[in-house]
Amino acid sequence: FRSKSLHRGQERRIPLPTYPFQRRRHWIARPAAAASLLGRRIPTPAAGALFAAELGAGAPPLLGQHRLRDACVLPATAYLEMAFDAVARLGDGAAVEDLVVLRPLVLPHVGRRTVQTVVEARDGRREMRFYAAAAEGEETAWELHATCVLRPRGGERPAATPPPQLRARLGAELTAAELYAALREGGLDLGPGFQWVTRAWVGKGEMLACLRPPDAADRRDDFQIDPGLLDAGPQLAVALALRLRGGGETPVPFSAGSCRLWGAAAEARW
């Protein structure tokens, strides 16, 4: 840039400030986009819908709090959240059924893995398939990790049994510290975002628990339903199995028959 060509004969010297520059920036900050587990919808000429997300132990940070034998593994409840997110975006109230985790999706401690979700309509239902990219040389291989089915929800919201009535037929109380210590000894290490259980009562083949959300720093408000809240159910089932077996390695739930989302829950839950 030649200023003399632009201001020929008009140049003059001006004094600069004698104090140091403040170095204050005045750029307009862009708001951070809320990235869901399902990710963004990708245009595709094929029938159905395609979603893509970049997931890792720190993206979002909640996923790094679910560790199985020192590996960060995507919990089965994350697939349920992604399915309900797809339901909300595609505009159909539905039940998520027949979820099967075919192989664990291990997330990297550094970096992210690309996860794509395919939703296709077939025979009056929607089938979902969850893929993750595994880089092999110059080509990208896609591995199928989980499948589920979306069906019309139907029916009425079931009536809840009063907690005092359930507690009357249950036995000993299990504290939160005892529950998470048993899971940790079995190889499942859960961070604050997955520790919703505050108290639990154990019966013959059944358990009852009181759930409270963790601190705000360990929560996100853009989930359809928080995977940490959903994970409380499998945690209780695993703790019951460990109790019946007398310890040992933690069994990992890999399927769910049916799950329905009826609406937002209260702050304290049973």
Side-chain angles (χ1 to χ4, degrees):
F1 178 72
R2 296 181 178 180
S3 61
K4 292 184 177 180
S5 301
L6 183 62
H7 303 286
R8 190 179 301 275
Q10 300 179 13
E11 304 89 348
R12 63 187 180 90
R13 293 181 178 273
I14 60 173
L16 293 177
T18 56
Y19 54 85
F21 289 103
Q22 292 180 307
R23 301 184 183 277
R24 294 175 57 188
R25 296 181 179 269
H26 297 277
W27 298 109
I28 299 177
R30 293 184 178 180
S36 68
L37 299 183
L38 185 63
R40 66 191 187 281
R41 186 169 181 177
I42 304 298
T44 173
L50 175 64
F51 299 89
E54 302 290 329
L55 303 181
L62 176 67
L63 298 182
Q65 299 181 32
H66 188 275
R67 297 180 180 273
L68 180 62
R69 289 185 276 278
D70 296 328
C72 180
V73 178
L74 189 71
T77 54
Y79 294 109
L80 291 174
E81 154 60 20
M82 293 162 75
F84 283 123
D85 194 4
V87 167
R89 298 199 207 181
L90 299 176
D92 289 340
V96 180
E97 298 183 350
D98 302 327
L99 171 68
V100 178
V101 180
L102 303 173
R103 57 168 55 89
L105 202 170
V106 180
L107 300 174
H109 296 285
V110 179
R112 304 179 184 185
R113 290 188 68 178
T114 301
V115 177
Q116 289 195 355
T117 304
V118 179
V119 186
E120 293 180 329
R122 185 175 300 175
D123 300 329
R125 64 182 187 179
R126 283 179 168 168
E127 297 181 352
M128 294 187 69
R129 300 189 301 275
F130 304 88
Y131 297 88
E136 294 182 355
E138 297 181 357
E139 298 183 357
T140 299
W142 292 95
E143 296 178 337
L144 179 62
H145 284 267
T147 62
C148 70
V149 174
L150 306 180
R151 299 183 186 273
R153 184 169 56 193
E156 296 182 357
R157 183 171 184 169
T161 304
Q165 182 178 335
L166 290 174
R167 286 180 56 183
R169 67 174 187 241
L170 297 177
E173 180 178 348
L174 185 68
T175 66
E178 293 171 333
L179 169 66
Y180 292 112
L183 295 178
R184 191 160 46 251
E185 289 176 4
L188 182 59
D189 190 7
L190 302 173
F194 283 91
Q195 296 185 20
W196 288 65
V197 178
T198 59
R199 302 171 67 188
W201 292 263
V202 184
K204 187 177 181 180
E206 61 181 354
M207 296 182 73
L208 172 69
C210 180
L211 311 178
R212 289 191 181 276
D215 295 338
D218 297 303
R219 297 178 60 188
R220 281 179 52 170
D221 296 327
D222 54 345
F223 289 131
Q224 297 296 322
I225 182 166
D226 195 304
L229 168 60
L230 274 178
D231 203 65
Q235 291 171 20
L236 295 173
V238 168
L240 184 58
L242 289 173
R243 193 180 185 91
L244 293 175
R245 292 188 337 191
E249 287 195 359
T250 299
V252 180
F254 65 91
S255 66
S258 180
C259 186
R260 287 165 170 79
L261 181 60
W262 296 98
E267 193 70 8
R269 307 164 176 89
W270 291 90

